[in-house]
Amino acid sequence: MLRSFLLYLSERETPKNLMMKSSLGRRMAARFIAGDSLEDAVRAVRQLNGEGFDATLDQLGESVHAAAEAEEACRIYLGILDRLAAEGLRSHISIKLTQLGMAMDESLARRLLAKLVERAALLHNFVRIDMESSAHVESTLRIFRLVNAPREVLGVVIQSYLYRSEKDVDDLVQCGARIRLVKGAYQEPKEVAFPRKADVDRNFVKLMEKLLSSGLYHAIATHDPRMIAATRAYAKAHSIRPDQFEFQMLYGIRRQLQRELLRQGYRVRVYVPYGKEWYAYFMRRLAERPANVLFLLRNLFRG
């Protein structure tokens, strides 16, 4: 119930305005957000690289309402790619296609994504298309296929809580796509998504096994110790080396677990979000693990 309520709040303007103007809200979000500026994000990536982690940078924002906003988002991401190359940082970029205007004009989003992919290829980097709510899945996958970039330059995300995801994984693996597997963080109707966590987890394991056995390089994105244990066990049983896939985890969440996986020889990439439009992202993080609400409040008031 708390998860549903937090996801409901993530889409509402009134609590968003209250939270973003509140010093308490900004302090709470700081655990999950690298900062407001690219400088903050670069500093975080530099530190993570120094500790042995790879990263992927996300300039927060989604669902732009004008072509000029989509063009500006593309310009910002081109600048991020240039900055990462100039500093020699080990970081990809992650982007939501609604940031590039997909909800208004798919051809615009396709054109801007192609620009990003061209720059990433030139700089030997990688673009990951984040998956959004189920309403955007079909158009996201359509644009991914139409851009048809080299697979070492462009990848996509699949969410295990959607019924359709097994077929999507089969189709994407067939065309050599690199996939980040996640559970999913949006409020979805039972007509399109598993309502029970146990079913989401079961599907996650099934899809993880498909990905690891595909022979392609994929990312298993989870903080769930049971999903991590299942991934490690499957990889070991099928002689899949730790350098043939990577774990991905979120900035500020289960840092000790991230370090432990790194010590055990696994590749770990940390998803580093930054920017002033942090509210929806922050609320979805709380909804994924509602115990985070009490944890954050306890630490804030203790401080």
Side-chain angles (χ1 to χ4, degrees):
M1 186 178 294
L2 180 55
R3 177 181 182 276
S4 297
F5 181 61
L6 290 169
L7 289 174
Y8 168 82
L9 291 179
S10 74
E11 300 173 351
R12 297 298 177 272
E13 285 298 315
T14 298
K16 173 183 175 180
N17 293 334
L18 289 172
M19 179 75 81
M20 294 188 72
K21 290 176 182 176
S22 159
S23 60
L24 176 61
R26 290 193 297 273
R27 287 171 61 202
M28 290 175 67
R31 177 169 179 91
F32 305 112
I33 314 297
D36 286 347
S37 70
L38 179 57
E39 294 302 320
D40 296 326
V42 165
R43 191 178 306 115
V45 171
R46 193 182 297 120
Q47 180 176 340
L48 287 165
N49 283 178
E51 295 174 8
F53 296 100
D54 294 321
T56 184
L57 263 184
D58 174 18
Q59 200 265 339
L60 293 170
E62 50 199 83
S63 299
V64 301
H65 302 293
E69 293 177 296
E71 296 275 3
E72 175 63 9
C74 180
R75 186 193 66 77
I76 289 171
Y77 270 99
L78 289 171
I80 294 172
L81 286 167
D82 290 342
R83 180 69 183 276
L84 293 171
E87 299 224 8
L89 296 173
R90 302 192 315 277
S91 178
H92 299 164
I93 63 169
S94 294
I95 187 161
K96 294 175 176 61
L97 291 188
T98 59
Q99 283 178 281
L100 300 183
M102 181 177 69
M104 301 181 302
D105 180 354
E106 286 191 23
S107 64
L108 172 64
R110 177 184 173 188
R111 176 174 64 82
L112 295 178
L113 179 63
K115 260 191 194 182
L116 292 177
V117 166
E118 182 181 9
R119 183 70 60 86
L122 181 67
L123 299 173
H124 307 288
N125 208 326
F126 183 82
V127 178
R128 179 80 67 179
I129 303 172
D130 283 337
M131 193 58 76
E132 302 177 67
S133 68
S134 60
H136 297 299
V137 172
E138 192 62 38
S139 50
T140 297
L141 294 179
R142 181 163 51 247
I143 291 172
F144 170 76
R145 291 187 176 98
L146 288 172
V147 169
N148 195 29
R151 298 314 184 210
E152 68 273 14
V153 180
L154 182 66
V156 73
V157 174
I158 290 294
Q159 302 160 317
S160 74
Y161 68 177
L162 296 179
Y163 300 138
R164 63 172 290 163
S165 289
E166 183 173 4
K167 183 178 186 307
D168 287 335
V169 163
D170 290 339
D171 292 344
L172 289 165
V173 164
Q174 190 68 30
C175 71
R178 286 172 57 174
I179 295 170
R180 177 202 293 154
L181 178 64
V182 302
K183 289 188 182 182
Y186 292 85
Q187 182 81 316
E188 300 287 2
K190 62 183 180 181
E191 289 76 21
V192 301
F194 295 105
R196 295 177 61 247
K197 182 179 182 299
D199 294 326
V200 175
D201 290 351
R202 190 175 300 112
N203 202 40
F204 187 97
V205 171
K206 179 193 291 187
L207 299 182
M208 172 273 292
E209 292 175 352
K210 283 177 177 281
L211 294 178
L212 292 194
S213 62
S214 71
L216 303 170
Y217 188 86
H218 299 294
I220 309 303
T222 180
H223 303 92
D224 186 333
R226 292 170 305 141
M227 300 299 101
I228 291 170
T231 303
R232 294 174 60 194
Y234 186 84
K236 182 177 180 180
H238 294 82
S239 302
I240 298 167
R241 301 188 312 274
D243 63 351
Q244 292 180 282
F245 68 98
E246 66 184 40
F247 286 108
Q248 291 193 9
M249 305 179 83
L250 299 172
Y251 181 81
I253 298 181
R254 299 206 168 180
R255 295 170 179 169
Q256 189 56 42
L257 179 56
Q258 295 176 16
R259 295 187 183 102
E260 184 60 31
L261 286 170
L262 204 62
R263 279 196 295 268
Q264 292 168 0
Y266 293 97
R267 291 180 172 180
V268 181
R269 187 176 304 276
V270 179
Y271 187 100
V272 180
Y274 81 95
K276 296 181 179 179
E277 294 298 318
W278 48 261
Y279 173 76
Y281 175 89
F282 172 63
M283 296 301 289
R284 288 196 293 269
R285 299 294 75 77
L286 292 185
E288 283 177 339
R289 193 165 179 261
N292 283 331
V293 179
L294 295 176
F295 172 80
L296 284 171
L297 288 173
R298 186 166 58 246
N299 280 273
L300 281 170
F301 288 119
R302 182 183 298 156

